């Protein structure tokens, strides 16, 4: 008998436009996994409201992320694609898991600390509880692997701790999820300050590249990218800006880091930076064009997210029923 397929779950927030970091760190790997695994990918709109969103923009961006999933190679026939708020089991399990998460461990989440200093006027309970909702997302589907960038590692560790605690009290209930972090691209850095992560919430528009950026904007951002005064094009801890550009170029072209260093040996940034820009333009062009096409076909997108929510809700209900029974709720 063949072994049951392993389950993959991941999510992306529609809290802004997707960046090259989101793509290289996470979404790029989603379609690769769908050939072999049972893949479930979610647009996590409930996470997005932990910081203030404009309602019309949130609706638009939610559909845009779904369109980008498909444009990046996800096939709704192979992967389950859905919108988090369409499957109420996420919120329901998050409540139960809240009661198995310690205040102290949630307080240690570095993303909460970062975000609460960035949004000091709106340090709401949802922002604090965000990692528990994320644990619910993952544990609901009995997920084996979670493809993410390195910034989400701490949240996955928390999900594992919660699962272990619950399993310890009530016997095996949840599969222990493992992070799936790519060797290259797990942390794409800002083009303006290569000691910081590339982030869609950065105030400096030149610090990130968006999947929907026009070619001329991509070229401008790479030409301006911060490097250093030593002009060698090599991978080195002392050269975070150049190393980041080498990583991006290598992932965009499929060339190894060695090949990239050889290609640009003896050449300067004047040649290197536009080459990275052009490689990224070509990488993103088909994604942008396909996304624009899909966004013109709202009926199709609706059929995808409806069907996805149906499949996801069925799987989620099975776990939630088990959890409710174990904690002692009366069967409905
Ligand atoms: P989000 O929406 O911030 O980012 C989506 C994915 O992109 C990765 N990422 C990066 N990777 C490399 N370099 C970067 N500069 C970079 N910036 C972002 C993130 O690691 C992520 O994989 N909490 C999650 C969303 C989420 C989720 C989940 C993920 C909610 N529930 C369950 C996995 C499983 C988040 O805010 O990702």
């Amino acid at each position: 008998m063949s072994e049951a397929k392993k389950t993959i779950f991941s999510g992306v927030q529609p809290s802004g436009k997707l960046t090259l970091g989101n793509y290289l760190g996470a979404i790029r790997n989603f379609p690769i996994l769908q050939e072999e695994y049972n893949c479930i990918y979610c647009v996590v709109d409930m996470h997005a409201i932990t910081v203030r969103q404009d309602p019309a923009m949130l609706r638009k961006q939610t559909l845009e992320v779904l369109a980008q999933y498909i444009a990046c190679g996800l096939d709704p026939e192979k992967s389950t694609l859905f919108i988090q708020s369409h499957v109420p089991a996420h919120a329901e399990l998050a409540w139960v898991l809240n009661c198995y998460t310690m205040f102290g461990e949630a307080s240690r989440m570095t993303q909460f600390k970062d975000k609460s200093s960035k949004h000091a006027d709106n340090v709401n309970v949802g922002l604090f509880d965000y990692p528990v909702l994320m644990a619910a997302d993952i544990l609901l589907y009995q997920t084996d692997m979670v493809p993410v960038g390195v910034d989400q590692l701490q949240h996955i560790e928390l999900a594992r701790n919660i699962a272990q605690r619950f399993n310890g009290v009530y016997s095996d209930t949840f599969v222990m999820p493992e992070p799936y972090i790519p060797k290259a691209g797990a942390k794409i850095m800002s083009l303006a300050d290569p000691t910081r992560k590339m982030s869609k919430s950065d105030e400096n528009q030149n610090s990130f590249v968006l999947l929907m950026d026009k070619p001329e904007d991509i070229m401008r951002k790479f030409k301006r990218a911060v490097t250093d005064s030593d002009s060698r094009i090599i991978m080195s801890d002392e050269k975070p800006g150049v190393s980041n550009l080498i990583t991006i170029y290598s992932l965009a072209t499929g060339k190894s880091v060695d090949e990239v260093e050889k290609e640009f040996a003896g050449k300067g940034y004047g040649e290197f930076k536009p080459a990275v820009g052009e490689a990224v333009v070509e990488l993103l062009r088909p994604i942008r064009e396909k996304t624009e096409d899909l966004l013109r076909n709202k009926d199709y997108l609706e059929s995808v997210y409806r069907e996805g929510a149906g499949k996801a809700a069925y799987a989620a209900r099975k776990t939630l029923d088990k959890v409710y029974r174990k904690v002692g709720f009366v069967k409905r």
Side-chain angles (χ1 to χ4, degrees), residues 9-13 21-22 25-26 44 47 111 130 134 137-138 146-152 155 185-188 197-198 200:
F9 181 94
S10 197
V12 172
Q13 290 197 70
N22 295 132
V44 293
H47 279 90
Q111 202 161 77
Y130 176 116
M134 180 163 161
D137 299 341
I138 297 169
V146 188
V148 282
V150 82
D151 62 330
Q152 296 302 316
H155 292 158
K187 192 171 186 188
I188 298 296
K197 184 185 79 163
M198 181 182 285
K200 51 196 158 198

Side-chain angles (χ1 to χ4, degrees), residues 42-59:
C42 181
V43 185
V44 293
D45 53 349
M46 288 161 68
H47 279 90
I49 62 163
T50 56
V51 302
R52 287 282 176 269
Q53 303 291 338
D54 174 79
M57 281 304 285
L58 181 60
R59 247 186 296 277

Side-chain angles (χ1 to χ4, degrees), residues 231-279:
S231 67
R232 284 173 310 153
I233 293 155
I234 51 162
M235 203 74 157
S236 151
D237 288 346
E238 269 105 72
K239 295 170 72 71
V242 175
S243 300
N244 190 40
L245 294 181
I246 293 178
T247 300
I248 294 172
Y249 185 73
S250 153
L251 291 170
T253 57
K255 294 175 187 169
S256 70
V257 169
D258 260 7
E259 285 169 330
V260 179
E261 287 178 343
K262 283 203 189 95
E263 185 179 343
F264 291 97
K267 298 183 181 157
Y269 298 147
E271 253 178 279
F272 179 53
K273 289 195 213 175
V276 184
E278 274 158 31

